[in-house]
């Protein structure tokens, strides 16, 4: 697998002197996704379809397409964001066919390489048609009902042996009073391939609460906890 910030769009970052790859925070985050899947033996040698919830400017889509040239890539995001995704993707793959949601009643997705959809159009994706679903740092920003909407649709479109990769904050954002505990919702809806991550984070949180009571909240004895928890999820019936 190869990862590098494309030079066609400015190529910001630092250049690796060993192979010339341009690395930055986003590229490292994408590499982490591949690494987590690989370490859990859930990284496939080939993907037919990938769905990304909250694709942003299209960075992960470009890296996946570079490593899996035949993949069909779906992005679901806010309508105005989809135009940024389309511009970035087209700059990297000028010959690619890109569909941007425009209220069409019936669209043949088979002829497109990238399909960019508004949130309410996710139901146009066929049942059990997606190999991998990815979400990084956006589900935790949504309301309870929005998360429920996405999780039910993710469960619907995932193939029976599909995989859902989630990289989100362990709990809700302090300023988001409309979402209780995202991690609990994820493990209620899906089975976890790497449950030890949850156990470790909860144990560290518990120990820190005890230490903060004894030594104070700013104690140097507090244990470091990852800001984001990376979960690899599958359909519950697959684990039963």
């Amino acid at each position: 697998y190869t990862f590098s910030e494309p030079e066609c769009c400015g190529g910001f970052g630092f250049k690796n002197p060993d192979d010339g790859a341009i690395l930055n925070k986003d590229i490292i985050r994408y590499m982490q996704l591949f690494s987590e899947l690989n370490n859990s033996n859930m990284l496939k040698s080939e993907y037919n379809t990938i769905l990304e919830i909250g694709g942003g400017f299209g960075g992960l889509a470009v890296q996946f397409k570079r490593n899996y040239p035949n993949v069909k890539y779906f992005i679901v995001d806010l309508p105005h964001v989809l135009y940024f995704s389309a511009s970035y993707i087209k700059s990297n793959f000028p010959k690619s066919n890109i569909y941007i949601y425009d209220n069409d009643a019936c669209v043949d997705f088979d002829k497109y390489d990238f399909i960019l959809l508004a949130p309410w159009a996710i139901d146009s994706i066929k049942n059990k048609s997606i190999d991998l679903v990815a979400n990084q740092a956006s589900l935790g920003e949504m309301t309870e009902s929005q998360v429920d909407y996405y999780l039910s649709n993710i469960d619907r479109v995932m193939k029976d042996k599909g995989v859902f990769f989630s990289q989100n904050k362990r709990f809700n954002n302090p300023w988001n009073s409309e979402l209780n505990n995202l991690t609990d919702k994820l493990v209620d809806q899906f089975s976890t391939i790497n449950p030890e991550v949850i156990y470790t984070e909860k144990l560290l949180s518990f120990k820190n609460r005890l230490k903060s009571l004894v030594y104070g909240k700013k104690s140097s004895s507090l244990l470091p906890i990852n800001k984001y928890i990376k979960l690899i999820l599958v359909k519950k019936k697959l684990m039963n």
Side-chain angles (χ1 to χ4, degrees):
Y1 300 98
T2 59
F3 301 90
S4 180
E5 179 67 27
E7 295 192 37
C8 68
C9 299
F12 65 95
F14 69 91
K15 183 168 288 189
N16 186 338
D18 294 329
D19 59 7
I22 300 174
L23 305 177
N24 54 40
K25 185 177 179 180
D26 289 324
I27 295 297
I28 292 172
R29 181 159 51 90
Y30 306 149
M31 292 169 70
Q32 287 177 334
L33 184 153
F34 275 71
S35 178
E36 293 288 338
L37 291 174
N38 185 60
N39 291 341
S40 300
N41 296 317
M42 301 301 289
L43 186 65
K44 294 185 177 182
S45 59
E46 191 62 56
Y47 287 104
N48 294 316
T49 50
I50 294 175
L51 165 63
E52 185 180 3
I53 306 296
F57 68 93
L60 182 59
V62 167
Q63 297 302 319
F64 257 111
K65 191 68 172 177
R66 282 182 160 188
N67 287 286
Y68 295 92
N70 297 320
V71 73
K72 186 179 298 294
Y73 204 98
F74 292 79
I75 290 178
V76 173
D77 213 323
L78 299 174
H80 62 281
V81 178
L82 297 179
Y83 289 98
F84 287 100
S85 305
S87 299
Y88 185 78
I89 292 170
K90 197 67 174 179
S91 296
N92 285 277
F93 300 101
K95 296 182 179 179
S96 64
N97 292 321
I98 302 175
Y99 171 79
I100 304 178
Y101 175 77
D102 62 358
N103 249 340
D104 289 343
C106 185
V107 180
D108 179 14
F109 291 151
D110 289 342
K111 63 182 181 180
Y112 294 100
D113 304 299
F114 298 90
I115 299 96
L116 314 185
L117 301 172
W120 53 86
I122 193 173
D123 57 2
S124 63
I125 302 176
K126 295 179 180 178
N127 295 352
K128 298 183 179 182
S129 62
I130 302 295
D131 294 309
L132 173 66
V133 180
N135 174 258
Q136 294 182 299
S138 65
L139 282 175
E141 301 172 356
M142 301 180 190
T143 65
E144 198 95 15
S145 60
Q146 289 171 333
V147 171
D148 289 340
Y149 170 76
Y150 276 114
L151 295 189
S152 63
N153 273 288
I154 290 170
D155 196 18
R156 176 184 64 82
V157 303
M158 275 173 58
K159 294 179 179 178
D160 286 338
K161 293 186 178 181
V163 175
F164 173 24
F165 178 87
S166 166
Q167 181 175 345
N168 285 279
K169 289 186 176 181
R170 295 177 300 116
F171 305 109
N172 59 300
N173 294 332
W175 55 85
N176 185 359
S177 60
E178 298 182 83
L179 179 63
N180 184 20
N181 189 313
L182 176 60
T183 301
D184 284 349
K185 295 185 78 66
L186 289 169
V187 298
D188 283 346
Q189 181 87 30
F190 301 93
S191 294
T192 313
I193 294 295
N194 56 340
E196 69 280 356
V197 174
I198 300 174
Y199 302 147
T200 300
E201 295 294 318
K202 286 186 175 181
L203 179 61
L204 290 174
S205 295
F206 177 71
K207 287 182 176 180
N208 277 344
R209 284 198 296 271
L210 290 179
K211 288 191 173 187
S212 65
L213 290 173
V214 177
Y215 301 108
K217 291 184 178 180
K218 295 184 178 180
S219 170
S220 60
S221 65
L222 295 183
L223 301 168
I225 299 179
N226 292 326
K227 185 178 181 180
Y228 291 92
I229 182 170
K230 306 177 186 72
L231 293 177
I232 300 171
L233 307 153
V234 296
K235 291 194 173 187
K236 277 193 176 294
K237 62 183 179 181
L238 184 67
M239 300 291 285
N240 294 337

